[in-house]
């Protein structure tokens, strides 16, 4: 009999489920999309029940359409969009729409955290208080929706809510717990000091589990709707960035991951909690037990390119658009783009900054603009890599995943802008692959994630920096790096005007 694990990749726009066998081969995949709601500027919400519905439909299709036998599905684990707040009442019912990672309404609450705890907050959590994190969202609900707060008995993150509905048991894994900034990264527990400082009951914080730990089995009720057997084991899973790193083979300190999805992430494996980036980078528990990772985030990486396409090239084939942009000159004929279209996180942590095109010239065409967007996204990643350089962190290989890894042009561009060797994967499946690997290790198919990676992760073509292009991009980056300081005041004024007119 065949045996499979399922990796559930719960993203911002869709859920994708992948069934993989013991050899790391994909047996079947299904996906299901859902809506994003942005009722006001800075708001970003989803209905958690949409995640559950989409996941259940996708699993059901694996069985009914792809022919997987339910008894062959031995384990399930998760990768989930991080930081989102799901508030539950005493009966485990959702109290309000989930506030997502890219929701930026919580600037006031972040300021309150900084004023009350200062640098001590960074010492406890390893992170600054940023709008996207979960704690500021909790405080926003507490201050702005007291009726809902009075009913709240627990909170979960997105993938943990889906797992709860599968198993009937609430828990959060360590990698997602660090992203709440309610977690003491050195003690390995929820922080009583932070909870007490902001009058958050410790009872609201669910039990903590490792990403490879069994969280329960499928309930009778969920079995009826999904077609799964009640013997199927469900494992903790991890935040999407941790799972993406596992699926990309980022299992040693000389490698970093460059991930271009809706947001963009540069992530580095860290063997312990002793490195101090003073909050300039996020510092999180890894899905690999007893290890960590650091990362910087560009809030609108692929989102910037998708925004441009949908706004100015809606009828054009995406691949052809990028290919034509690759034929435009390096530097897009003097055009620069900064990808701050929904604010920025690293290195600026500025919810009000907005994107810009600098150097618009009537000689440029649409594909110069596309190339400028692609170059600007990649420059924003270099901003993050600079922080590692400033802290003496040495690495020689960048593993590219996501949208930026689907184009030879963009892979080579990354090598030239980063001045590092860039490698792609031949079986790039993103965080869903990492989630499946967690289930495989949890079931005991492999002794460790490192052993599992030997079967599941396969590196492909390597892209080396081209010296002449590296020099040109170094000059262009010096200009790009000045744009934030030159435009932030104007961006803030425009945001103030827009908000005053709403």
């Amino acid at each position: 009999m065949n045996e499979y694990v399922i990796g559930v990749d719960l993203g911002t726009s869709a859920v994708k489920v992948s069934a993989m066998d013991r050899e790391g081969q994909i047996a079947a995949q299904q996906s299901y999309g859902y809506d994003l709601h942005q009722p006001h500027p800075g708001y970003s919400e989803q209905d958690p029940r949409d995640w559950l519905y989409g996941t259940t439909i996708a699993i059901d299709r694996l069985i009914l359409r792809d022919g997987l036998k339910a008894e062959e599905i031995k384990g399930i684990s998760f990768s989930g969009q991080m930081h989102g707040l799901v508030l539950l009442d005493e009966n485990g019912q959702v109290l309000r729409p989930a506030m997502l990672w890219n929701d930026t309404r919580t600037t006031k609450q972040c300021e309150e955290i900084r004023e009350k705890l200062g640098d001590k907050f960074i010492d406890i959590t390893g992170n600054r208080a940023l709008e996207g994190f979960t704690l500021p969202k909790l405080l926003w609900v507490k201050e702005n929706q007291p009726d809902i707060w009075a009913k709240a008995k627990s909170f979960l993150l997105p993938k943990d809510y889906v797992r709860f509905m599968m198993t009937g048991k609430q828990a959060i894994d360590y990698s997602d717990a660090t992203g709440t900034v309610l977690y003491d990264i050195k003690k390995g527990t929820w922080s009583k000091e932070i909870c007490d400082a902001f009058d958050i009951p410790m009872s609201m914080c669910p039990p903590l589990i490792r990403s490879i730990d069994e969280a329960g089995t499928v309930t009778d009720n969920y079995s009826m709707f999904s077609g799964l057997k009640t013997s199927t084991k469900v494992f903790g899973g991890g935040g999407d960035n941790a799972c993406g790193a596992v699926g990309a083979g980022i299992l040693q300190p000389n490698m970093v991951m460059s991930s271009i999805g809706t947001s963009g992430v540069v992530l580095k494996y860290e063997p312990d909690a002793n490195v101090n980036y003073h909050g300039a980078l996020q510092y999180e528990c890894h899905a690999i037990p007893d290890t960590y990772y650091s990362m910087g985030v560009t809030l609108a990486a692929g989102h910037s390119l998708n925004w441009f396409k949908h706004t100015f090239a809606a009828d054009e084939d995406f691949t052809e658009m990028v290919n034509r942009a690759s034929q435009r000159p390096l530097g897009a004929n003097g055009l620069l783009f900064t990808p701050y279209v929904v604010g920025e996180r690293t290195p600026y942590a500025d919810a009000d900054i907005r994107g810009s095109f600098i150097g618009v010239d009537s000689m440029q065409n649409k594909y110069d603009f596309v190339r400028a967007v692609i170059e600007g996204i990649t420059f924003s990643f270099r901003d993050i890599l600079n922080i590692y350089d400033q802290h003496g962190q040495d690495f020689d290989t960048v593993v590219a995943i996501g949208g930026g890894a689907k184009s030879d042009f963009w892979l080579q561009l990354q090598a030239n802008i980063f001045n590092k060797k860039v490698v792609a994967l031949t079986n790039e499946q993103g965080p869903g692959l990492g989630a499946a690997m967690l289930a495989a290790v949890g079931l005991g198919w492999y002794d460790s994630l490192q052993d599992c990676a030997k079967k599941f992760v396969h590196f492909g073509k390597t892209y080396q920096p081209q010296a002449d292009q590296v020099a040109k991009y170094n000059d262009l980056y010096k200009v790009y790096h000045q744009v934030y300081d030159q435009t932030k005041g104007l961006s803030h004024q425009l945001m103030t005007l827009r908000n005053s007119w709403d």
Side-chain angles (χ1 to χ4, degrees):
M1 182 178 74
N2 294 321
E3 292 185 329
Y4 302 102
V5 290
I6 288 179
V8 176
D9 181 8
L10 190 74
T12 308
S13 58
V15 60
K16 182 170 75 172
V17 297
S18 304
M20 307 192 76
D21 63 21
R22 280 179 174 263
E23 300 300 308
Q25 299 299 310
I26 295 173
Q29 287 182 322
Q30 291 286 343
S31 61
Y32 195 92
Y34 33 71
D35 293 331
L36 175 69
H37 305 290
Q38 296 178 302
H40 304 285
Y43 285 42
S44 184
E45 300 182 338
Q46 284 177 329
D47 185 340
R49 290 164 294 195
D50 289 347
W51 307 328
L52 178 64
Y53 181 79
T55 302
T56 306
I57 290 294
I59 291 173
D60 189 59
R61 288 174 178 172
L62 288 179
I63 297 170
L64 296 180
R65 294 187 181 180
D66 295 312
L68 267 66
K69 296 177 181 177
E71 61 268 20
E72 295 176 339
I73 300 171
K74 299 300 181 182
I76 297 176
S77 193
F78 302 83
S79 159
Q81 49 168 300
M82 297 176 67
H83 312 308
L85 173 63
V86 182
L87 272 180
L88 304 176
D89 67 14
E90 60 184 358
N91 298 313
Q93 298 298 309
V94 174
L95 286 168
R96 69 174 319 282
M99 297 166 66
L100 303 190
W101 59 273
N102 56 352
D103 190 295
T104 58
R105 77 184 77 171
T106 57
T107 299
K108 176 177 177 287
Q109 287 71 36
C110 291
E111 291 171 353
E112 291 171 1
I113 293 169
R114 286 190 288 270
E115 290 172 2
K116 183 164 283 191
L117 291 178
D119 290 341
K120 192 165 191 178
F121 185 83
I122 298 174
D123 293 339
I124 295 171
T125 67
N127 294 287
R128 291 178 289 176
L130 302 177
E131 283 83 358
F133 291 159
T134 317
L135 172 60
K137 296 180 175 69
L138 284 164
L139 299 182
W140 187 92
V141 175
K142 185 170 180 281
E143 294 171 21
N144 292 276
Q145 297 178 332
D147 292 345
I148 289 175
W149 181 257
K151 299 175 184 177
K153 297 301 179 185
S154 64
F155 73 90
L156 293 172
L157 276 72
K159 63 118 176 41
D160 304 305
Y161 171 75
V162 176
R163 190 183 61 239
F164 165 51
M165 299 305 290
M166 282 188 181
T167 65
K169 297 179 180 179
Q170 295 187 25
I172 294 179
D173 81 288
Y174 289 98
S175 74
D176 252 344
T178 42
T180 66
V181 291
L182 262 173
Y183 176 83
D184 190 318
I185 198 166
K186 293 178 181 175
K187 293 181 179 178
T189 61
W190 295 113
S191 172
K192 187 174 187 302
E193 184 171 357
I194 293 176
C195 285
D196 288 348
F198 297 102
D199 196 25
I200 296 172
M202 288 287 289
S203 60
M204 286 188 68
C205 302
L208 292 164
I209 59 173
R210 299 185 304 169
S211 296
I212 60 172
D213 285 344
E214 184 180 335
T217 53
V218 171
T219 64
D220 289 335
N221 190 49
Y222 194 74
S223 173
M224 180 177 64
F225 286 105
S226 66
L228 292 169
K229 295 293 186 182
T230 56
S231 58
T232 302
K233 294 182 177 181
V234 183
F235 297 92
D240 54 7
N241 292 306
C243 289
V246 170
I250 308 297
L251 307 172
Q252 50 191 352
N254 74 307
M255 304 171 78
V256 301
M257 180 183 76
S258 162
S259 173
I260 299 176
T262 303
S263 63
V265 172
V266 174
L267 180 151
K268 184 178 181 297
Y269 173 96
E270 305 280 1
D272 54 52
N274 295 326
V275 179
N276 188 353
Y277 293 106
H278 306 287
L281 296 169
Q282 292 174 229
Y283 209 82
E284 316 278 355
C285 291
H286 210 322
I288 306 166
D290 303 317
T291 66
Y292 303 82
Y293 69 89
S294 55
M295 71 175 187
V297 176
T298 292
L299 285 181
H303 178 64
S304 292
L305 192 57
N306 287 332
W307 159 77
F308 184 89
K309 182 188 183 305
H310 292 155
T311 306
F312 302 108
D315 298 329
E316 192 160 355
D317 178 75
F318 195 94
T319 300
E320 178 61 20
M321 183 184 77
V322 172
N323 286 341
R324 294 188 68 172
S326 73
Q327 298 165 18
R328 304 305 294 167
L330 183 155
N333 280 312
L335 184 65
L336 270 177
F337 171 75
T338 57
Y340 311 141
V341 295
V342 294
E344 190 54 299
R345 183 176 296 175
T346 312
Y348 301 115
D350 188 339
D352 291 334
I353 189 67
R354 287 299 179 267
S356 58
F357 284 102
I358 304 293
V360 178
D361 189 302
S362 61
M363 67 167 288
Q364 296 153 352
N365 68 23
K366 177 169 63 177
Y367 302 104
D368 288 307
F369 280 79
V370 176
R371 179 160 185 141
V373 171
I374 292 170
E375 289 178 339
I377 293 166
T378 314
F379 280 141
S380 75
F381 279 41
R382 180 163 168 176
D383 276 344
I384 300 169
L385 293 174
N386 283 351
I387 299 172
Y388 287 114
D389 290 340
Q390 292 161 8
H391 286 81
Q393 295 295 303
D394 191 28
F395 56 91
D396 55 25
T397 302
V398 176
V399 180
I401 68 171
K406 292 178 171 61
S407 159
D408 284 332
F409 157 64
W410 205 339
L411 286 161
Q412 185 61 61
L413 187 144
Q414 288 184 72
N416 292 334
I417 288 180
F418 302 157
N419 195 20
K420 299 284 184 182
K421 176 177 70 177
V422 173
V423 62
L425 300 170
T426 59
N427 65 333
E428 204 259 283
Q429 292 295 322
L433 174 60
M437 291 169 65
L438 294 173
V441 174
L443 285 166
W445 289 2
Y446 298 92
D447 291 335
S448 68
L449 286 163
Q450 285 85 351
D451 288 339
C452 185
K454 295 172 185 176
K455 282 282 189 180
F456 278 60
V457 181
H458 306 289
F459 295 108
K461 182 178 177 181
T462 296
Y463 298 78
Q464 296 288 350
Q466 300 165 318
D468 60 329
Q469 302 235 339
V470 169
K472 292 176 181 177
Y473 274 124
N474 282 341
D475 290 339
L476 192 59
Y477 175 71
K478 291 175 184 175
V479 180
Y480 170 91
H481 196 59
Q482 298 177 59
V483 175
Y484 173 80
D485 285 332
Q486 298 292 327
T487 62
K488 64 180 179 180
L490 293 174
S491 283
H492 293 185
Q493 289 179 50
L494 288 169
M495 286 289 287
T496 300
L497 283 174
R498 186 179 75 175
N499 292 337
S500 71
W501 294 338
D502 285 343

